[in-house]
Amino acid sequence: MNAFDQLLHGFAVALTPVNLMWCLVGTTLGTAIGVLPGLGPALTIALLLPITFKVDPAAAFILFAGIYYGAMYGGSTTSILLNTPGESATIVTALEGNKMARNGRAGAALATSAIGSFVAGTIGTLGITFLAPVVVDWALRFGPADYFALMILAFVTVSAVLGSSATRGLATLFLGIFLGLIGVDLQTGQARFTFGVPELLDGINVIIVAVGLFAVGETLYVASRYRSGVDEIIPLKGSLWMTREEWGRSWKPWLRGTALGFPIGAMPAGGAEIPTFLSYYVEKKLSSKPEEFGHGAIEGVAGPEAANNASAAGVLVPMLTLGLPTSATAAIMLSAFQSYGINPGPLLFESQATLVWGLIASLFIGNVMLLVLNLPMIAIWVKMLRIPAPQLYAGILVFATIGTYGITQSPVDLILLYVIGGLGYLMRRYDFPTAPVIIGMILGPLAEQNFRQAMTISAGDWTVFFTRPISATILILALLALAGPRLFGLWQSMRLKNQALAGDS
């Protein structure tokens, strides 16, 4: 059965009344989360993991995907009207979008953002539909050594990209690997790092770590930085529809942003930050009115917003086909798969075809829902910006506590939740990225398993990782990803130094 036939089967799953309801709930909740500053899809999905623990897997992932796409849409509202980017990927939107709002063009900025998000999300989801089976066919050629090398590449690239320092990223990655190795070793039957606590013999549930880092830790961080007063919210003025000129200046940036966002988002070290900044740079260079940039150029909103949403679709490709999360939200979604006993990877499209294709089909449906939710109901979303932060984050804390306790009814889990939450606060306080912890916790045991299998197959010959072409190539890429930026920085400093010496002479 080809991808088109599978997609039709996916629509039959996604269009059932129950799954349509979950899709609507997810997109609505995601938009609301995106609008509220300081929240994000990773925190929301982490918070809902304990609640959806016993929900049908297909419905749960349709809900999570709706939250993910919805948060990408809603984040532009905060950036444009409040000049407060909810995530790093929406920083660029605030540059021009807030200037447009201050110039009385908030409606046009919100419209080009919503329509651009719809265009990019739809094209990106088409990319998932037809690219994912190709990646699956390629990945089926992998052996244990190749998978181990691929996970090393994921460790290095994600740790280097998510955060201001590769060293800090790797430090939090090793913390995640340590947490993932707690419990009984399946191969030897020996307890590891349990410190005599019987509840740790089964390991630490990744849901507890996700909720602790992204909900409790974030709440404590926001509470520590709380200040009186309300940020200025620019009121909506004029029509939400764009003029003919604004349409003409928007449609090309939408397509260019999509072309940049999707492939970069699908890379192991892609993410949304690189394509949004790159899109802004490209639009500034290609614009017929470059003098407007910095004063409210609509291209500076249209392109980056399309790149942001296209990259969100791209992130799902390595997660579904290879089991590699390349963002915090993808890491949380991967932990959700594992909580259902499902391991994303090449075999997922065969073993869970109904779930996967129903999820992909729901992304098309969710995109249409989001366009309807974001344009006519923008005034409702703006009112959410006035929710007091203390009440909002207190509710999150209570919700996290009840949800976590509901998984196993174990007091040890609550202690772990708040210990990890306190650690998450310290990590946010001192600028240590939290996403590598989840990625290390999920991929660490899998990397160990593949390493052991590779060594068993090769009779203990460690050179197997360098004699197999695929694993050797991937390990070289990992080395370049780790050392490349430093070598480039060293070369840049030497070049500037030589230029200075040449100027003096």
Side-chain angles (χ1 to χ4, degrees):
M1 193 181 295
N2 59 33
F4 184 73
D5 293 332
Q6 294 275 28
L7 184 61
L8 290 179
H9 176 65
F11 272 108
V13 174
L15 288 172
T16 59
V18 172
N19 287 337
L20 278 175
M21 180 202 72
W22 284 114
C23 186
L24 179 61
V25 170
T27 52
T28 306
L29 184 59
T31 303
I33 292 302
V35 168
L36 293 171
L39 302 183
L43 185 153
T44 310
I45 295 174
L47 207 58
L48 290 175
L49 282 179
I51 310 301
T52 58
F53 193 66
K54 295 183 180 179
V55 176
D56 177 66
F61 287 105
I62 287 173
L63 171 69
F64 295 154
I67 291 172
Y68 186 29
Y69 268 30
M72 295 298 107
Y73 272 71
S76 61
T77 302
T78 309
S79 298
I80 291 169
L81 298 181
L82 203 60
N83 199 25
T84 306
E87 291 190 335
S88 55
T90 56
I91 291 173
V92 182
T93 304
L95 294 177
E96 300 299 329
N98 189 252
K99 293 288 194 308
M100 288 182 67
R102 292 183 182 279
N103 295 336
R105 299 168 61 206
L110 291 166
T112 193
S113 170
I115 298 172
S117 297
F118 170 77
V119 171
T122 303
I123 296 175
T125 308
L126 283 171
I128 298 173
T129 304
F130 296 104
L131 180 63
V134 176
V135 177
V136 166
D137 291 339
W138 174 67
L140 286 172
R141 304 173 189 172
F142 279 30
D146 306 320
Y147 270 111
F148 175 75
L150 189 64
M151 289 174 188
I152 294 297
L153 176 63
F155 288 155
V156 170
T157 53
V158 171
S159 300
V161 170
L162 295 177
S164 57
S165 164
T167 305
R168 295 183 179 190
L170 288 171
T172 56
L173 172 72
F174 285 119
L175 171 63
I177 294 174
F178 167 73
L179 293 174
L181 295 178
I182 292 174
V184 175
D185 180 5
L186 297 179
Q187 184 164 324
T188 65
Q190 296 295 314
R192 300 189 294 190
F193 311 120
T194 58
F195 305 105
V197 181
E199 286 83 358
L200 294 181
L201 289 173
D202 291 331
I204 298 177
N205 194 320
V206 70
I207 295 176
I208 295 171
V209 178
V211 175
L213 289 177
F214 290 95
V216 178
E218 184 70 22
T219 300
L220 296 175
Y221 178 73
V222 171
S224 70
R225 296 169 60 88
Y226 178 72
R227 65 183 190 277
S228 58
V230 179
D231 293 319
E232 178 191 3
I233 302 173
I234 300 174
L236 285 170
K237 297 178 182 178
S239 172
L240 278 175
W241 295 106
M242 295 185 289
T243 63
R244 183 184 295 272
E245 180 193 2
E246 288 166 341
W247 274 96
R249 293 176 60 182
S250 293
W251 71 270
K252 289 181 180 178
W254 292 336
L255 298 179
R256 285 192 289 260
T258 304
L260 289 170
F262 182 77
I264 295 177
M267 294 178 184
E273 293 82 2
I274 297 172
T276 51
F277 279 97
L278 189 58
S279 174
Y280 183 81
Y281 175 80
V282 168
E283 295 310 324
K284 189 174 182 180
K285 289 293 183 184
L286 296 180
S287 176
S288 58
K289 297 182 179 181
E291 68 279 359
E292 285 192 16
F293 277 78
H295 304 283
I298 196 168
E299 297 94 334
V301 178
E305 272 300 302
N308 182 24
N309 282 266
S311 69
V315 161
L316 296 178
V317 175
M319 188 199 76
L320 292 173
T321 59
L322 300 173
L324 293 179
T326 58
S327 70
T329 308
I332 301 297
M333 290 182 72
L334 189 59
S335 69
F337 272 106
Q338 291 193 336
S339 70
Y340 281 101
I342 301 170
N343 290 316
L347 298 179
L348 180 68
F349 282 74
E350 293 183 10
S351 62
Q352 299 287 340
T354 299
L355 186 154
V356 173
W357 289 103
L359 172 63
I360 293 173
S362 75
L363 296 176
F364 288 102
I365 299 168
N367 255 315
V368 176
M369 289 182 176
L370 283 165
L371 190 64
V372 174
L373 285 171
N374 274 265
L375 283 177
M377 299 175 63
I378 189 65
I380 297 174
W381 303 125
V382 173
K383 290 180 180 179
M384 292 190 63
L385 293 170
R386 303 188 184 277
I387 297 176
Q391 285 89 321
L392 176 66
Y393 283 93
I396 289 174
L397 206 58
V398 171
F399 203 67
T401 304
I402 295 173
T404 301
Y405 186 74
I407 298 176
T408 59
Q409 290 83 43
S410 171
V412 174
D413 285 350
L414 288 182
I415 294 171
L416 285 172
L417 174 71
Y418 280 95
V419 169
I420 293 170
L423 187 61
Y425 161 72
L426 292 175
M427 291 169 65
R428 288 280 282 124
R429 171 68 177 80
Y430 294 104
D431 199 24
F432 281 80
T434 51
V437 177
I438 304 296
I439 292 170
M441 189 175 181
I442 295 170
L443 295 186
L446 294 176
E448 179 193 28
Q449 180 183 351
N450 281 285
F451 177 81
R452 284 175 162 176
Q453 288 178 355
M455 295 299 286
T456 301
I457 293 170
S458 65
D461 183 9
W462 59 270
T463 60
V464 66
F465 300 105
F466 304 98
T467 54
R468 287 182 61 87
I470 295 177
S471 60
T473 303
I474 294 173
L475 288 173
I476 291 171
L477 290 175
L479 181 62
L480 290 174
L482 187 62
R486 295 189 179 187
L487 293 175
F488 178 77
L490 182 62
W491 173 81
Q492 190 81 345
S493 62
M494 290 178 64
R495 188 174 66 86
L496 293 174
K497 185 178 179 180
N498 291 334
Q499 287 179 351
L501 291 173
D504 293 339
S505 61

